[in-house]
Amino acid sequence: MSVKLAVPSKGRLMDKTFDWFGARGVALRLSGSDREYAATVEGVDGVELVLMAAGEIPKELAAGRIHLGVTGADVVQDRIAVWDQQVEPMAELGFGRADLVLAVPAAWVDVDTLEDLDAVAAQFRARHGFRLRIATKYHRLVRDFLRENGVADYQLVDSQGATEGTVKNEAAEAIADITSTGETLRANHLKLLADGLILKSQAVLYRSRKADWSDADRATCQALRKKLKLV
């Protein structure tokens, strides 16, 4: 048996993850073709490297099919119910930073706060006969945030594409999405609510609480923690 470590399978997140581990003496390596490759871990024994889409890693951690995984805090907290009972954050990695925020049309000059949004939502429903639509990929996080802040009379619209464009395309009246600079929001004539920060996210190394941890696996994980200077 070995400890399964899942990391993003492509793009900047994969590259940054490889760099982060490598800088701490644990080399993650790929070999073979782009279509079919082998992945290895050097620097600590008993760890098997698994490559998968960052969005799939939370599900695999919660199911206990992998022991460790690197992915964004936003997808973990949105896709795993009672996430802190399913996984344990081991280390924030300092890259993949982005904010999950609530944004409305810049033309809504009288809407700057969640309280304003709640008032507009009530007016919108009375006027149009249906709830104000908020487009997002992050249903759990957004729903919990709005409930905690007393916003009602809205409906979430699923968006798996360019969420910022849904308002312009009249598919939604507001959005909740990840942003790092806010430039895309501004380009789509959207503005952040003053109190609309839902979550500050970054890449995190997580440990599954649901995986089958043998004594050997626990020893391997502890050795990895020491190598990464997490203890």
Side-chain angles (χ1 to χ4, degrees):
M1 295 294 291
S2 58
V3 169
K4 291 185 178 181
L5 166 64
V7 304
S9 58
K10 60 183 179 180
R12 191 166 178 269
L13 269 183
M14 184 183 78
D15 295 340
K16 289 287 189 180
T17 300
F18 277 42
D19 290 345
W20 188 89
F21 277 87
R24 289 157 179 80
V26 178
L28 310 182
R29 301 191 187 281
L30 301 180
S31 59
S33 69
D34 290 339
R35 292 181 180 273
E36 184 175 351
Y37 43 66
T40 61
V41 179
E42 300 174 9
V44 62
D45 294 331
V47 180
E48 175 188 350
L49 186 59
V50 180
L51 299 168
M52 63 178 62
E56 291 296 309
I57 293 176
K59 179 179 67 177
E60 298 301 299
L61 285 166
R65 289 187 286 265
I66 56 177
H67 297 84
L68 306 171
V70 172
T71 190
D74 55 322
V75 289
V76 163
Q77 294 187 34
D78 190 66
R79 298 186 184 182
I80 304 179
V82 200
W83 69 272
D84 54 345
Q85 294 181 19
Q86 315 294 318
V87 300
E88 171 202 357
M90 286 175 58
E92 295 181 336
L93 306 189
F95 57 84
R97 295 182 185 275
D99 296 339
L100 176 58
V101 300
L102 199 59
V104 301
W108 290 10
V109 293
D110 294 328
V111 180
D112 293 311
T113 66
L114 290 166
E115 184 178 1
D116 297 337
L117 181 64
D118 184 49
V120 164
Q123 295 166 10
F124 184 93
R125 186 179 187 187
R127 183 179 302 127
H128 297 282
F130 63 92
R131 290 186 173 93
L132 182 146
R133 298 164 298 175
I134 302 174
T136 188
K137 303 177 183 71
Y138 300 92
H139 289 238
R140 189 191 308 276
L141 283 169
V142 175
R143 190 182 303 111
D144 290 349
F145 177 77
L146 292 174
R147 183 181 64 249
E148 291 165 5
N149 286 278
V151 178
D153 282 332
Y154 70 90
Q155 60 177 317
L156 296 183
V157 177
D158 190 49
S159 170
Q160 296 301 324
T163 303
E164 298 91 345
T166 56
V167 173
K168 180 179 179 181
N169 296 333
E170 298 184 351
E173 285 69 50
I175 72 162
D177 201 18
I178 285 289
T179 182
S180 53
T181 65
E183 290 182 9
T184 304
L185 294 177
R186 289 188 289 273
N188 284 275
H189 309 291
L190 299 169
K191 65 178 181 180
L192 307 180
L193 293 181
D195 51 358
L197 174 63
I198 299 170
L199 176 72
K200 296 186 76 69
S201 182
Q202 64 176 294
V204 178
L205 172 61
Y206 290 98
R207 182 184 74 86
S208 172
R209 299 185 187 274
K210 298 299 183 179
D212 182 13
W213 288 92
S214 67
D215 289 344
D217 292 337
R218 293 181 190 279
T220 296
C221 187
Q222 185 66 7
L224 180 62
R225 283 181 183 266
K226 288 182 178 179
K227 190 75 174 181
L228 297 174
K229 296 181 173 59
L230 301 180
V231 293

